[in-house]
Amino acid sequence: MTSTGTLRTGHIGLNVTDIERSLAFYRDVIGYGVISEGKEEGRRFAFLGENGIPALTLWQQADASYEASNAGLHHLAFEVDTIEEVRAYESALRAYGVEFAYEGVVPHGEGAASGGIFFHDPDGTRLEIYAGSGVAASDTAPVAAAPTCGFF
């Protein structure tokens, strides 16, 4: 197949067990606005994003929480501009009661300037919020010989 343009990721769709619980998390803690919702029984969904552009869609279609051993999504990463923004999200997530895979902001690899926080949504989907720079060179990566995001 010949490329006719640049392929980009559009929105991400996640199956969830409880749309209201997940909507509250992604809206109130992550900060996405609700673009549209389907509230009809058997067709519950929410499109979330910024400025009318969808970034994430929640579908109430799951019977069980995320299972890392199943094929599919490994984790979902959200990028912000600064490490300070990562730390602000960390504080908000802690206040919400979220547990983290690692303590504090960690580098993506030993000596990397990029890094972030690693945690789970209400259904156990693995999430990351990171910045491309700003991690201290003295910070130790949780997994020295591999990308941090692969081992949570």
Side-chain angles (χ1 to χ4, degrees), residues 86-96 100:
V86 174
R87 289 192 177 102
Y89 273 105
E90 179 186 16
S91 294
L93 289 160
R94 283 195 192 286
Y96 196 77
F100 293 81

Side-chain angles (χ1 to χ4, degrees), residues 3-152:
S3 175
T4 59
T6 302
L7 187 63
R8 292 178 299 280
T9 301
H11 67 276
I12 304 295
L14 295 178
N15 283 340
V16 300
T17 58
D18 181 334
I19 191 86
E20 296 304 327
R21 178 181 69 174
S22 293
L23 181 57
F25 177 80
Y26 284 100
R27 180 192 59 219
D28 301 342
V29 182
I30 300 299
Y32 279 129
V34 177
I35 295 171
S36 68
E37 291 182 78
K39 297 184 177 188
E40 178 183 328
E41 191 57 40
R43 296 183 47 86
R44 309 257 343 251
F45 66 89
F47 277 88
L48 304 159
E50 297 174 346
N51 301 318
I53 300 169
L56 184 68
T57 307
L58 305 175
W59 299 94
Q60 185 167 305
Q61 297 177 340
D63 294 327
S65 294
Y66 175 84
E67 182 55 55
S69 63
N70 291 340
L73 181 71
H74 180 273
H75 74 284
L76 177 56
F78 300 103
E79 183 178 8
V80 295
D81 293 329
T82 67
I83 286 296
E84 291 73 28
E85 288 175 277
V86 174
R87 289 192 177 102
Y89 273 105
E90 179 186 16
S91 294
L93 289 160
R94 283 195 192 286
Y96 196 77
V98 169
E99 293 183 31
F100 293 81
Y102 307 116
E103 189 56 39
V105 175
V106 297
H108 280 139
E110 204 60 42
S114 65
I117 54 176
F118 300 85
F119 56 98
H120 298 84
D121 80 356
D123 279 309
T125 300
R126 297 183 288 198
L127 302 175
E128 169 186 2
I129 297 176
Y130 75 97
S133 63
V135 173
S138 61
D139 288 346
T140 303
V143 182
T148 299
C149 62
F151 296 93
F152 83 103

